[in-house]
Amino acid sequence: MMFEMSSAAMASLIGVIVVVGISMVNEDLNVGIVAIAFGVLVGAVFAGLPANKVMQAWPIDLFMILTGVTFLFGIATTNGTMEKLTSNAIRLAGGNTTLIPVILFALITIITTIGPGNIATVTLMAPVAMAIAGRIGMNAFLMTLLVVGAANGAAFSPIAPTGVISTFFLNKMAPQLDLLGQQLGNLDSLAWKIYFNSEVAQIVGNVGGFFLLGGWAWVRRQRHASLSIDEIAPKPEPFNRHQWLTLGCIGMLVLLVILPSLAVTQSLFTPTVMKVIGNGKSANVGAIAFLLATVLLVLNAGDSKAAIKSIPWSVIVMVGGMGILIDVMDKAGGLNALVNIISTVSTPGSISGVLALVTGIISAYSSSSGVVMPMFLPLVPGLIQQLGGGDAISMISSICVGSHMVDTSPLSLFGAVCIACAAESEDKGKLFRQLLVWGFSMAAVGAVICYLFFGVLGF
């Protein structure tokens, strides 16, 4: 299929390709800054957009939500609440070592879901999990599959940063998708559906890999083994008053985000309350996080300077910068051009697998949530229109899942952190090679999973 492309569309498409290419070869350079520069240049020179107009595309709503959520959990991390929560949870295993992987997977899933997100949770839990792996005789490769699989499975919680990003684009696309006859229904429920789809894919991929590649053999060896729980996770000091207050605020965050979206509890929230915590119709997780963080700071339960330092500014700048460039690309016609390119090798039935494969390959070298999702999620309405059909949620799920299936690669932050934290007894060269092969294979495996589960079975 041949299609014509304007000079503005060509320039914007080349600009995005160059920016993504830079992100793939230079991890030390924040691609969000480069994306803003390219957005200004392409907008002014080729699309007739002045710089001040281009800069107005910065996604301020998304910025405020990400900053609020990560600041609140920065307080919870820096005041010791998350560390004690982790230690107490692991001690539930007692002397039964076979329960430890289950507890770690569940704990990482829960922590990621309630707000910190996958990046913060892996950074927090990888040192703990990899140290425990060495003590219980589990090789670091298997523990990495559990840690990354659990964190990425829960990453799309609407309360967590990555889920906030996908929900932001979901809301932005909703009017276009409605015009195309895609009945999305309640967007809050839809966000949790994407979360569920991510959990299914990560369990099939990484947890399945854990059992097939030695996890089951490890479980069998542990049947008659036991260790003192104090050797694995020393008993922490009891939660202090400030930490109990922090746990209460985290619980409040979860409740205030979930309850207003449930029909049975909507009557509990007056219009005034809804305006305080959201837009009058649904709760805004960023607004709630700022309110609760202020409570903690006023009561001296947190250190604002330490919490601000813990915010993942690099990811936020990447998402914002890519948002500006993608907006210019849209106005210049580049998004339509990219839609045309992808549609030439896809059908409504195969598009889920194609999107997962392409996003997986790019994510192996680049940021999944900071670069790949902002680039590919806006394509969904155009793909449905160009292909003459397709399911929006399947496509969105495939982009989200495909871009995160490869994160066990040592070229990604998660794989690198797990290698760095592996026990001294581990052959880190061998671990690097194992994770490299596994990470790249997940691009193809993720494509198959997305095609089957989201394309064929319609999860």
Side-chain angles (χ1 to χ4, degrees):
M1 181 186 297
M2 299 296 294
F3 52 89
E4 295 184 0
M5 194 183 307
S6 68
S7 59
M10 176 69 77
S12 67
L13 186 57
I14 291 173
V16 169
I17 292 172
V18 170
V19 169
V20 172
I22 291 172
S23 76
M24 294 167 71
V25 299
N26 191 340
E27 295 180 0
D28 297 326
L29 180 64
N30 190 302
V31 74
I33 303 297
V34 180
I36 294 172
F38 270 81
V40 171
L41 289 173
V42 172
V45 177
F46 295 95
L49 298 170
N52 63 336
K53 187 72 172 178
V54 171
M55 298 299 281
Q56 288 173 10
W58 178 269
I60 186 65
D61 291 345
L62 182 59
F63 173 83
M64 295 303 293
I65 293 172
L66 290 174
T67 304
V69 170
T70 53
F71 180 77
L72 175 63
F73 280 93
I75 292 175
T77 301
T78 56
N79 71 7
T81 302
M82 303 308 293
E83 182 180 353
K84 287 184 180 179
L85 182 65
T86 298
S87 296
N88 281 295
I90 292 171
R91 291 181 62 83
L92 294 174
N96 188 346
T97 54
T98 56
L99 289 179
I100 290 177
V102 178
I103 291 173
L104 280 171
F105 190 90
L107 180 63
I108 293 170
T109 298
I110 292 169
I111 292 176
T112 305
T113 299
I114 62 176
N118 53 348
I119 295 175
T121 304
V122 170
T123 304
L124 171 72
M125 292 298 300
V128 176
M130 302 311 280
I132 289 174
R135 293 170 193 161
I136 62 177
M138 177 185 291
N139 71 56
F141 172 71
L142 294 178
M143 184 59 81
T144 301
L145 297 189
L146 288 181
V147 170
V148 179
N152 277 349
F156 291 91
S157 161
I159 307 172
T162 303
V164 166
I165 294 170
S166 67
T167 303
F168 171 80
F169 284 104
L170 187 61
N171 280 276
K172 197 172 181 179
M173 291 185 288
Q176 295 172 274
L177 294 173
D178 286 341
L179 291 175
L180 293 171
Q182 296 280 328
Q183 302 300 317
L184 300 182
N186 185 292
L187 293 182
D188 291 332
S189 299
L190 205 51
W192 285 109
K193 178 174 173 56
I194 294 171
Y195 169 89
F196 171 76
N197 287 348
S198 175
E199 287 281 14
V200 169
Q202 292 289 345
I203 288 173
V204 171
N206 282 311
V207 178
F210 169 84
F211 283 109
L212 288 174
L213 299 178
W216 183 245
W218 177 86
V219 170
R220 293 179 63 183
R221 290 197 301 271
Q222 301 305 305
R223 287 181 178 177
H224 303 294
S226 64
L227 287 172
S228 167
I229 193 61
D230 291 322
E231 296 178 35
I232 301 170
K235 186 175 181 179
E237 293 291 325
F239 288 104
N240 61 37
R241 184 174 65 85
H242 289 156
Q243 290 162 346
W244 278 116
L245 182 61
T246 303
L247 288 174
C249 284
I250 292 172
M252 186 67 70
L253 173 72
V254 175
L255 290 176
L256 287 177
V257 170
I258 294 176
L259 293 181
S261 65
L262 302 177
V264 294
T265 54
Q266 285 177 352
S267 60
L268 298 175
F269 298 89
T270 66
T272 301
V273 170
M274 287 307 302
K275 288 178 182 178
V276 170
I277 66 172
N279 60 8
K281 295 180 181 179
S282 60
N284 181 297
V285 63
I288 298 170
F290 276 117
L291 289 168
L292 294 172
T294 300
V295 170
L296 292 176
L297 294 178
V298 169
L299 296 177
N300 202 32
D303 182 338
S304 62
K305 291 182 179 179
I308 287 175
K309 289 180 181 178
S310 72
I311 294 174
W313 293 113
S314 61
V315 174
I316 292 175
V317 171
M318 271 194 285
V319 173
M322 285 299 295
I324 287 177
L325 181 56
I326 296 303
D327 184 76
V328 171
M329 186 182 180
D330 184 23
K331 292 173 180 174
L335 278 185
N336 285 335
L338 187 55
V339 164
N340 284 326
I341 292 171
I342 295 176
S343 64
T344 59
V345 295
S346 308
T347 66
S350 67
I351 186 63
S352 295
V354 172
L355 287 173
L357 179 63
V358 174
T359 55
I361 292 171
I362 296 175
S363 291
Y365 296 96
S366 190
S367 170
S368 304
S369 56
V371 175
V372 178
M373 286 170 56
M375 178 180 174
F376 281 88
L377 287 174
L379 302 180
V380 172
L383 284 171
I384 292 173
Q385 190 169 23
Q386 186 70 25
L387 293 171
D391 181 73
I393 301 307
S394 296
M395 294 185 193
I396 293 168
S397 296
S398 297
I399 292 168
C400 294
V401 169
S403 63
H404 284 75
M405 287 296 290
V406 299
D407 283 348
T408 46
S409 163
L411 303 179
S412 73
L413 171 65
F414 295 165
V417 168
C418 289
I419 290 176
C421 296
E424 291 297 325
S425 59
E426 289 284 344
D427 182 341
K428 294 193 177 182
K430 178 181 178 181
L431 177 59
F432 180 94
R433 293 189 295 273
Q434 287 177 316
L435 292 178
L436 188 65
V437 172
W438 180 261
F440 278 102
S441 70
M442 282 295 102
V445 172
V448 172
I449 290 173
C450 290
Y451 171 73
L452 290 176
F453 282 81
F454 311 145
V456 176
L457 299 178
F459 268 56

